Amino acid sequence: MKTVSLQNLIPEYIKQFEAYIPSKPDDVLKDLFGCRHLFRLNNNENPLGPTAAAQAVIREFPPPRASVYPSGDAFHLRCRLAEKLGLHPDQILVGNGANEVITFVIKAFCQEGDNIITADKTFAVYEWVAEFSGFQARLVPLKDFMFDDEAMLGQIDEKTKIIFICNPNNPTGTYWNEERLRHFLDTVNGRQIVVVDEAYFEFVEEDDFPDGIRLIKEYPNLVVFRTFSKMYALAGLRIGYLAGDLEVVDIIRRTCVVYSVNVLAQEAALASVDDQEHITKTRKLVSEGRRLITRELDNLGLPVVSGQGNYMMIKLPMSDTLAYRRLMSYGVMVRTMTGFRFPNYIRLTISIRQAMEAFVEALSKILN
Ligand SMILES: *Cc1c(COP(=O)(O)O)cnc(C)c1O
């Protein structure tokens, strides 16, 4: 057998990076944990499913079209989004989920020796992409569960290229209001790219919550992420996008791999954007679920961290990984938070009443 000098081939930063282990498929999990039904409350999916129009697109998709490449730049979707958001279509880049556009931005601006800044307890993909690409991720601790603007500004140096803000933050649900975001952008003063990840934008109803896309005109270093995975329930089709200043997006576009967004995702997303009723219905479901969980966990004497978005965090008097396994045996899947640096916390996706009740019942059992 031939050998390969693997150790000589691997960059140092890859040697030190541990691969993320995705959860197993539902059928495998059900066998493993011996549960007949599984409530997936781990990924902030929308239990109402895609909008009616998107469901029709999916149902009626002509199978022969699977043989034809999709639009390489999501042409029609960008035009529609641009119209809706008051942008030029070329200010938008569509990716295979917001996850992919994270890689676009990092590739476009970082080179050897550079760093990015984000929080220590936030969506982890910014940190991971930076690190497995060989760039330093400077992780600033949250303050009162919120992104700490002053401390983040203090971490900036001449090698800092991008600052990632998750607004509202996954998993804590905290957010910067418009005044705070503007103050931050004013202080950065165009020296770095500031990414505001608005994956949960459509869930937020607070008056002082900033619409990042409307700030792009004033702050050309601002790049905003949105996704169709959460509110629009197209997570399985993988589609999200970024918006920014024309000149900035022209740079980022150079790093896009063409055809990464499939035709069905593009068409389902296009069909989704006008459905305000879907948003209203989902918001109602989330606010009812949040109320139910808050009340029940208060009865159980467990602290919750809850703000915006379709999720909340719960602090347990036991290890989160143990709680995960025990909850799984009752058919309830939550997200362990040790990986987010919140040991003993779980994150729960707010879902339909039946799922919320199943969670509360299972939780009471595992605590006794
Ligand atoms: C879910 C999520 C994403 C990624 O969404 P995809 O479009 O499915 O890749 C990005 N940012 C945050 C904060 C998220 O929670």
Side-chain angles (χ1 to χ4, degrees), residues 40-52 55 199-200 202-203 227-236 272 275-286 310-311 349-352 355:
R40 297 178 59 91
L41 306 175
N42 64 324
N43 267 344
N44 301 343
E45 291 151 349
N46 184 344
L48 297 182
T51 66
Q55 298 212 16
Y200 299 93
E202 299 86 356
F203 290 92
T227 179
F228 286 95
S229 295
K230 305 289 162 54
M231 174 58 82
Y232 292 108
L234 295 176
S272 302
D275 197 337
Q276 193 55 42
E277 203 185 310
H278 173 84
I279 295 182
T280 308
K281 265 206 311 223
T282 303
R283 284 175 172 178
K284 183 160 176 282
L285 175 107
V286 170
N310 61 338
Y311 48 84
T349 300
I350 300 173
S351 184
I352 55 173

Side-chain angles (χ1 to χ4, degrees), residues 135-182:
F135 311 119
Q136 185 192 24
R138 299 190 167 176
L139 306 179
V140 177
L142 296 181
K143 187 174 172 185
D144 301 328
F145 295 106
M146 201 190 291
F147 271 67
D148 183 347
D149 39 9
E150 294 307 322
M152 291 178 85
L153 291 168
Q155 284 295 310
I156 297 175
D157 66 15
E158 71 285 357
K159 293 289 193 184
T160 304
K161 292 294 184 70
I162 312 167
I163 304 165
F164 287 93
I165 316 289
C166 186
N167 210 40
N169 189 31
N170 172 10
T172 59
T174 53
Y175 69 97
W176 283 359
N177 63 20
E178 178 154 345
E179 191 190 338
R180 196 157 179 173
L181 178 59
R182 279 180 179 276

Side-chain angles (χ1 to χ4, degrees), residues 7 16 25 34 51 71 82 85 105 109 125 138 164 180 202 230 239 262 269 271 295 302-303 306 319 329 352:
Q7 288 310 312
Q16 285 164 22
T51 66
S71 163
L85 302 170
V105 182
F109 292 105
V125 180
R138 299 190 167 176
F164 287 93
R180 196 157 179 173
E202 299 86 356
K230 305 289 162 54
I239 184 163
N262 71 76
R295 186 182 63 232
L302 294 179
S306 168
S319 111
S329 68
I352 55 173

